[in-house]
Amino acid sequence: LVFSVKISYDGQCVAIHPGQTEVACGGGDQKVHVYTLSGDTLQERATFDHQGAVTDLKYSPDGALMAAADSNRKVVLYEIPDYKAKVTTEWGYHTAKVNSLCWTPDGQHVASGALDCQLVVWWPQSKTKYTVVKGAHPMSQVTRVAWIDNNTLVSVGQDSCLKQWRITHQQ
């Protein structure tokens, strides 16, 4: 153990900025807590509210954006370093708690998987462009998503299935 900080909230998820300068922690208190990482120490620098418990956080590969998911079915996209919401209209196309987020290696798309059995692929460059895969894991929540490459997404659900998806990104 190098460093420890006591938190007053129920930590749900954590993400480290690719530049290893910041750590974001999502809480059951419906907030994202951002810490400055300096050597072996963490110093809280900002918090911002969500509409539900924060269930997953992921920084984009270039560190310019961070996606945050919550139990109120929302995905929020933040611009770094100010953590200003990039998309002010809500990304609320899931119908239940979002469990998992993952960026494509090129940082052009974010995938999410949720309790609603669906996958959503988001276009951060657009406020309204997205693709929904309904029933990706029928009758089973999607518990994790990951990109193999920019066009190959894998998902796993409580149906004990691992699925691979070929995603075509059309402009």
Side-chain angles (χ1 to χ4, degrees):
L1 179 65
V2 176
F3 180 78
S4 176
V5 61
K6 187 159 181 68
I7 57 176
S8 61
Y9 56 91
D10 182 22
Q12 301 284 314
C13 54
V14 67
I16 300 174
H17 187 276
Q20 297 186 0
T21 56
E22 293 183 339
V23 174
C25 186
D29 62 349
Q30 301 183 358
K31 296 180 188 300
V32 174
H33 301 263
V34 179
Y35 298 85
T36 300
L37 176 62
S38 179
D40 293 336
T41 63
L42 293 169
Q43 180 70 41
E44 190 166 24
R45 85 168 185 103
T47 61
F48 38 96
D49 297 329
H50 267 251
Q51 295 179 1
V54 180
T55 55
D56 202 5
L57 300 163
K58 293 291 186 295
Y59 285 99
S60 62
D62 66 0
L65 300 168
M66 184 184 73
D70 67 35
S71 62
N72 193 40
R73 71 179 186 81
K74 306 291 189 279
V75 174
V76 179
L77 190 63
Y78 295 98
E79 294 180 291
I80 309 304
D82 299 329
Y83 291 90
K84 181 181 177 208
K86 179 177 171 73
V87 179
T88 54
T89 55
E90 63 184 43
W91 277 2
Y93 302 108
H94 281 290
T95 60
K97 176 181 94 168
V98 181
N99 293 322
S100 180
L101 296 167
C102 191
W103 287 88
T104 53
D106 67 4
Q108 297 299 304
H109 300 90
V110 179
S112 58
L115 181 67
D116 61 7
C117 313
Q118 299 182 138
L119 295 171
V120 178
V121 178
W122 311 90
W123 274 251
Q125 311 85 331
S126 169
K127 295 179 179 182
T128 58
K129 197 167 185 182
Y130 60 95
T131 300
V132 177
V133 180
K134 292 186 178 200
H137 288 261
M139 303 301 290
S140 173
Q141 66 177 305
V142 180
T143 54
R144 187 68 53 205
V145 293
W147 291 95
I148 293 174
D149 57 41
N150 293 325
N151 297 99
T152 309
L153 178 66
V154 292
S155 63
V156 65
Q158 284 192 333
D159 56 359
S160 301
C161 291
L162 171 68
K163 296 185 176 185
Q164 182 172 315
W165 307 87
R166 187 79 178 148
I167 306 294
T168 304
H169 308 289
Q170 298 178 358
Q171 300 300 331

